[in-house]
């Protein structure tokens, strides 16, 4: 991941509403949530929510899929994983110093446990 790309992702998450939306979608899992459920859960007006969803989608932190007349949003876990890896790469000269991060299940750990043939 390029530094400029990481800065763009962090800037998108630097707004309270966008961070709340992203965390909600991360918690929702791969199935995600529709716009009305997000609005209801966070109490955001439609236009405001649409603006923030568009921004998060544009930088690649979430994706939206149309289901008839509704849009269903979900987190882009691969992008999140890449950002976390970028932020923690070579941390403390390679020594394990982030116990909370180490305890998280990352894509790399899942791939190591379940190698594909």
């Amino acid at each position: 991941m390029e530094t400029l790309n990481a800065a763009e992702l962090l800037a998108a998450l630097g707004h309270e509403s966008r961070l709340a939306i992203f965390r909600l979608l991360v918690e929702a899992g791969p199935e995600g949530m529709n716009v009305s459920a997000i609005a209801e859960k966070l109490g955001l007006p439609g236009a405001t929510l649409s603006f923030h969803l568009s921004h998060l989608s544009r930088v690649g932190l979430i994706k939206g899929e149309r289901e008839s007349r509704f849009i269903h949003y979900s987190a882009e876990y691969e992008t999140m994983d890449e950002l976390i890896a970028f932020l923690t790469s070579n941390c403390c000269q390679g020594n394990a110093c982030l116990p909370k991060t180490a305890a998280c299940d990352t894509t790399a750990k899942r791939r190591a446990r379940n190698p594909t043939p």
Side-chain angles (χ1 to χ4, degrees), residues 29-107:
E31 56 278 351
M33 299 175 76
N34 67 39
V35 176
S36 60
I38 297 169
E40 182 179 320
K41 188 82 170 176
L42 297 178
L44 292 172
T48 302
L49 179 58
S50 178
F51 172 79
H52 291 307
L53 289 169
S54 176
H55 190 124
L56 290 168
S57 191
R58 187 173 48 255
V59 299
L61 285 166
I62 66 172
K63 66 179 174 184
E65 293 183 26
R66 183 167 294 282
E67 292 180 8
S68 68
R69 58 180 209 178
F70 301 102
I71 300 177
H72 209 76
Y73 283 94
S74 59
E76 285 282 11
Y77 293 97
E78 189 172 322
T79 303
M80 180 179 71
D81 196 37
E82 288 175 19
L83 180 59
I84 292 169
F86 174 82
L87 292 171
T88 59
S89 75
N90 301 321
C91 183
C92 299
Q93 300 176 2
N95 297 317
C97 61
L98 302 169
K100 291 180 182 177
T101 302
C104 291
D105 195 14
T106 65
T107 302

